[in-house]
Amino acid sequence: ERIPAIDRACSYAGFFNPYQAESQMFVEKRAAVWAYVYGELAKVQSGVRELPTKERLAQELDAEVWGAS
């Protein structure tokens, strides 16, 4: 069975259950996504990079966060 939303997936991390390991991974990935996005926002705001498109940011997240398992 798939958990339909990341907030629900993360809610299983704090207690023993069949989904705990997967849930803990989602908590770590969610934190990594926010850290990456805010890091890139700081670069945009300081002029280091241009504002990426949604598609480009999604590609970067795939490579930097989800591909880094």
Side-chain angles (χ1 to χ4, degrees):
E1 178 181 350
R2 302 202 90 189
I3 301 170
I6 195 158
D7 59 329
R8 291 189 212 158
C10 292
S11 71
Y12 286 85
F15 59 94
F16 181 75
N17 66 82
Y19 308 107
Q20 187 177 25
E22 183 179 25
S23 182
Q24 289 169 341
M25 182 270 305
F26 276 114
V27 168
E28 292 169 10
K29 295 293 186 178
R30 181 177 65 179
V33 164
W34 282 112
Y36 184 81
V37 169
Y38 277 110
E40 296 309 297
L41 175 61
K43 290 177 186 176
V44 169
Q45 291 173 329
S46 67
V48 173
R49 77 172 286 183
E50 291 187 15
L51 183 66
T53 64
K54 291 184 292 186
E55 294 80 12
R56 178 66 188 154
L57 187 58
Q59 289 173 345
E60 292 175 17
L61 286 169
D62 282 344
E64 296 294 324
V65 176
W66 294 102
S69 295

